[in-house]
Amino acid sequence: MLAPATEHAPTTEHALGPREWAPREAAHRERADALTAGRRDRTLRHEKHPIEDFLFTYYSVTPGQLRRWHPGAGVVLVGAGIPESDGALPERAGWREYRAVASRRPDDLVFDAAAFLERRGSTVDFVDRLLRSTLEQPATLGCFGLHEWAMVYRQTPDELRHSSLPLRLGHAGTDAVVEANPIRCSHFDAFRFFTPEAVPRNELRPTRATQPDMEQSGCLHAGMDVYKWASKLGPAVPGELLLDCFVLARDIRELDMRASPYDVTGWAGADGRPLEPVAIETPDGKREYARLQAGFAERGNALRERVLDAITDLRRAGTGGAGNAGSASGAGGAGPRTAGR
């Protein structure tokens, strides 16, 4: 049910008329439908995809939620609450995050930034701190995706997470790669899936508490997680930005699995072309991984900047003030720096 107009309406609203916001919403829905078509079709056929499904299982955003377009905080959608010809209210009028604007017509809707900050302020603060810290850290490009190898180290065939994919080098060959290479994983949500035998081999000990201090843009999982953090900010993140973050996560996921111990031969990527392994156990494979990793670090940092801009807009709209003094444009926008090992 549509939230009532409130006393703390933002003072820096920007209004979009139907001729402006309706085409953006339609374009967003069309793009989201194209991005999720494979997942939706497989769901109907009760089929699984060991690579792409991760984007919908680990990240708990459904295709339907991804399809919802939001303009971001502080943007009034003129006429978005006008009833349909049969008298039914449009879908957006039933979204709890939106309310009518006290100083405008009752069918002009805006994201209730103040209520969101009151309810999710601690999440906003965490995401803000994490993304800014990540931008400030030098990108480490020498991990070579060994986190995925450490997740299967000394496992038996029935213990593998992706039982539908064979190990490219077999179990003994996979263990040999782990034992022959230093592991320096800085990402807690990857490290926590290491096998017990692999944990002592990691040079670092990331924890949830130290995540903001250890996260760095060269980490593939940190790059994928930009999508997670954007989704946790809900309607504060413009729809176009959320889909851009999803695309980055999808592209990184493909490299993550191509460089993993699993054999992805026979599976296709988002562009329809067959996926080829990145053999990180070889010098050429390591160079290829680091090259692609650097590109993802740059893309991830550009999206982190945009998410931080959305947080600034959220705080400004929610308080009627200038928001956080430290804008995203000044948060490490020079791009990733490589650090020696």
Side-chain angles (χ1 to χ4, degrees), residues 122-154:
S122 60
T123 297
V124 175
D125 291 344
F126 176 82
V127 174
D128 189 319
R129 179 190 171 200
L130 178 66
L131 297 187
R132 291 184 188 280
S133 177
T134 304
L135 285 166
E136 293 169 358
Q137 298 293 333
T140 301
L141 304 179
C143 67
F144 308 123
L146 284 162
H147 58 276
E148 290 289 341
W149 298 70
M151 292 179 192
V152 302
Y153 180 59
R154 294 191 179 179

Side-chain angles (χ1 to χ4, degrees), residues 220-231:
L220 293 195
H221 279 256
M224 283 191 284
D225 278 355
V226 177
Y227 170 57
K228 175 171 72 174
W229 305 126
S231 70

Side-chain angles (χ1 to χ4, degrees), residues 115 190 253:
R253 172 62 177 171

Side-chain angles (χ1 to χ4, degrees), residues 206-256:
T207 66
R208 182 67 72 203
T210 62
Q211 186 174 10
D213 300 316
M214 298 189 70
E215 205 93 312
Q216 48 87 22
S217 61
C219 170
L220 293 195
H221 279 256
M224 283 191 284
D225 278 355
V226 177
Y227 170 57
K228 175 171 72 174
W229 305 126
S231 70
K232 285 187 178 296
L233 296 175
V237 170
E240 295 86 350
L241 172 55
L242 181 63
L243 292 187
D244 287 347
C245 293
F246 175 86
V247 170
L248 175 66
R250 180 201 65 190
D251 294 348
I252 292 178
R253 172 62 177 171
E254 290 185 1
L255 175 60
D256 199 38

Side-chain angles (χ1 to χ4, degrees), residues 15-278:
L16 292 178
R19 292 185 178 180
E20 297 172 281
W21 65 259
R24 285 180 59 184
E25 181 175 56
H28 172 88
R29 289 180 173 180
E30 182 178 358
R31 185 184 178 198
D33 286 345
L35 290 171
T36 63
R39 168 68 175 184
R40 290 182 286 111
D41 290 345
R42 288 192 303 274
T43 299
L44 291 175
R45 297 193 301 267
H46 302 286
E47 295 177 358
K48 295 183 178 181
H49 193 294
I51 301 169
E52 187 179 300
D53 285 353
F54 177 85
L55 301 172
F56 301 96
T57 54
Y58 183 78
Y59 300 116
S60 56
V61 181
T62 67
Q65 291 170 328
L66 199 60
R67 195 174 189 264
R68 286 187 174 186
W69 175 77
H70 301 285
V75 180
V76 176
L77 299 179
V78 176
I82 295 177
E84 307 290 347
S85 57
D86 60 0
L89 287 174
E91 180 185 16
R92 189 182 305 273
W95 296 352
R96 73 167 184 167
E97 301 96 340
Y98 282 79
R99 59 173 175 80
V101 184
S103 60
R104 303 180 66 94
R105 301 184 312 180
D107 50 39
D108 293 347
L109 306 182
V110 68
F111 164 53
D112 196 339
F116 186 86
L117 283 172
E118 183 175 351
R119 188 173 68 252
R120 303 293 302 279
S122 60
T123 297
V124 175
D125 291 344
F126 176 82
V127 174
D128 189 319
R129 179 190 171 200
L130 178 66
L131 297 187
R132 291 184 188 280
S133 177
T134 304
L135 285 166
E136 293 169 358
Q137 298 293 333
T140 301
L141 304 179
C143 67
F144 308 123
L146 284 162
H147 58 276
E148 290 289 341
W149 298 70
M151 292 179 192
V152 302
Y153 180 59
R154 294 191 179 179
Q155 281 191 337
T156 60
D158 60 312
E159 293 176 316
L160 297 179
R161 283 188 305 152
H162 301 291
S163 57
S164 62
L165 295 176
L167 293 179
R168 186 166 52 82
L169 303 179
H171 286 270
T174 298
D175 292 349
V177 171
V178 174
E179 292 164 0
N181 290 274
I183 304 176
R184 199 169 187 273
C185 179
S186 59
H187 191 70
F188 171 70
D189 283 315
F191 178 62
R192 67 190 178 98
F193 289 108
F194 279 28
T195 65
E197 295 83 359
V199 167
R201 293 184 171 275
N202 194 32
E203 297 178 13
L204 304 175
R205 289 293 178 272
T207 66
R208 182 67 72 203
T210 62
Q211 186 174 10
D213 300 316
M214 298 189 70
E215 205 93 312
Q216 48 87 22
S217 61
C219 170
L220 293 195
H221 279 256
M224 283 191 284
D225 278 355
V226 177
Y227 170 57
K228 175 171 72 174
W229 305 126
S231 70
K232 285 187 178 296
L233 296 175
V237 170
E240 295 86 350
L241 172 55
L242 181 63
L243 292 187
D244 287 347
C245 293
F246 175 86
V247 170
L248 175 66
R250 180 201 65 190
D251 294 348
I252 292 178
R253 172 62 177 171
E254 290 185 1
L255 175 60
D256 199 38
M257 289 299 289
R258 289 173 61 205
S260 78
Y262 294 102
D263 187 353
V264 298
T265 303
W267 295 91
D271 59 4
R273 293 185 294 182
L275 294 175
E276 298 291 337
V278 176

Side-chain angles (χ1 to χ4, degrees), residues 328-341:
S329 61
R337 296 165 288 163
T338 56
R341 297 196 58 210

